[in-house]
């Protein structure tokens, strides 16, 4: 890629970010098309659920497959789970496998009153929005259809090596993108399409 093209890319990115900012100012979330990550899903599931059941999740250690089975069995205790499709359940199970149990001390005493945004680790969606928009628009990321290994390969390229996320976060981000990426371009808002789908 030529330097010139890179600068055009930065320009388009900045234009998109400014535009996205002004849209958000009007109360519209330009990133709403990107599916929720495990943190958001878990906070929704925990809201209104009995404290002991929530604590059981926050202190549990299971593989993704085990979490999936667990969640499917617990829809009576966590009714919100019934609103999730297969990808939603898999995304939540995947997040739990990466992030639970929470470190001792950060499990809230009263989950009903917890400020989940302060308690729960970032999910794949958060990691993408926080780390993957400085040099190109998020569209470059969320429209790609890649395997876990291919995502890790992309993140290990010279262009990405300096991004400050831990190896565990790279795994979690890759895993989120395998489940939720490959978003068709016509679902991406117009202002995030320019130069976005290809690089
Ligand atoms: C420091 C600048 C920078 C940041 C931050 C950045 N990228 Fe990139 N990205 C690039 C450049 C430069 C290219 C084009 C050159 C290349 O492909 O290596 C690119 C291309 C890509 C591509 C298309 C090429 C491919 O390998 O499929 C994907 C996908 C991608 N980036 C994903 C990401 C993800 C995921 C993140 C966040 C973890 C991210 N980028 C953050 C600079 C960046």
């Amino acid at each position: 890629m030529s330097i010139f093209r890179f600068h055009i890319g930065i320009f388009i990115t900045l234009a998109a970010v400014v535009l996205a900012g002004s849209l958000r100012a009007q109360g519209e979330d330009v990133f709403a098309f990107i599916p929720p990550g495990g943190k958001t899903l878990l906070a929704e599931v925990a809201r209104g659920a009995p404290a002991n059941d929530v604590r059981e999740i926050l202190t549990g250690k299971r593989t993704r497959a085990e979490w999936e089975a667990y969640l499917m069995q617990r829809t009576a205790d966590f009714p919100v789970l019934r609103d999730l499709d297969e990808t939603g359940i898999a995304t939540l199970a995947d997040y739990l496998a990466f992030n639970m149990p929470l470190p001792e001390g950060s499990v809230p005493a009263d989950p009903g009153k917890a400020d989940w945004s302060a308690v729960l680790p970032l999910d794949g969606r958060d990691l993408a929005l926080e780390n993957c928009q400085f040099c190109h628009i998020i569209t470059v990321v969320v429209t790609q259809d890649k395997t876990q290994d291919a995502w890790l390969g992309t993140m290990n390229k010279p262009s990405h090596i300096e991004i400050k996320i831990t190896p565990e976060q790279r795994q979690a981000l890759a895993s989120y993108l395998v489940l939720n990426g490959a978003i068709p371009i016509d679902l991406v808002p117009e202002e995030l399409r320019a130069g976005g789908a290809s690089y």
Side-chain angles (χ1 to χ4, degrees):
M1 182 185 52
S2 73
I3 289 288
F4 175 72
R5 187 145 175 242
F6 189 55
H7 280 280
I8 292 280
I10 288 181
F11 175 76
I12 291 172
T13 305
L14 287 179
V17 167
V18 169
L19 193 61
S22 68
L23 277 180
R24 264 202 307 281
Q26 292 160 21
E28 245 181 84
D29 179 5
V30 75
F31 301 117
F33 72 101
I34 306 176
K39 175 177 171 171
T40 304
L41 296 175
L42 178 54
E44 278 171 22
V45 165
R47 200 168 297 131
N52 280 344
D53 292 328
V54 176
R55 206 166 293 120
E56 191 179 299
I57 293 185
L58 302 180
T59 56
K61 183 171 172 55
R62 293 176 174 82
T63 63
R64 172 165 144 190
E66 288 165 353
W67 277 117
E68 268 179 290
Y70 173 93
L71 294 171
M72 301 306 280
Q73 285 160 11
R74 301 301 301 271
T75 52
D77 304 307
F78 304 108
V80 174
L81 290 173
R82 294 199 194 110
D83 300 335
L84 299 186
D85 62 9
E86 217 174 288
T87 306
I89 295 279
T91 301
L92 176 54
D94 196 48
Y95 176 79
L96 295 173
F98 274 108
N99 294 292
M100 300 298 124
L102 285 184
E104 233 175 283
S106 53
V107 177
D110 182 354
K113 295 206 184 93
D115 171 9
W116 292 112
S117 59
V119 171
L120 296 175
L122 300 183
D123 60 34
R125 184 181 191 275
D126 301 325
L127 290 168
L129 290 175
E130 282 199 6
N131 296 287
C132 310
Q133 303 194 79
F134 299 119
C135 314
H136 46 65
I137 51 180
I138 198 71
T139 315
V140 173
V141 178
V142 297
T143 53
Q144 305 273 333
D145 189 0
K146 292 182 192 285
T147 61
Q148 180 84 9
D149 280 351
W151 274 117
L152 293 173
T154 290
M155 286 187 244
N156 280 328
K157 280 175 153 182
S159 45
H160 295 126
I161 200 78
E162 280 173 33
I163 300 173
K164 291 204 171 19
I165 54 175
T166 66
E168 292 76 23
Q169 287 176 319
R170 283 172 190 250
Q171 291 276 359
L173 171 53
S175 204
Y176 167 83
L177 289 170
V178 170
L179 286 168
N180 294 286
I183 298 177
I185 191 72
D186 46 311
L187 296 185
V188 177
E190 293 278 350
E191 63 270 32
L192 289 181
R193 284 188 208 174
S198 64
Y199 206 103

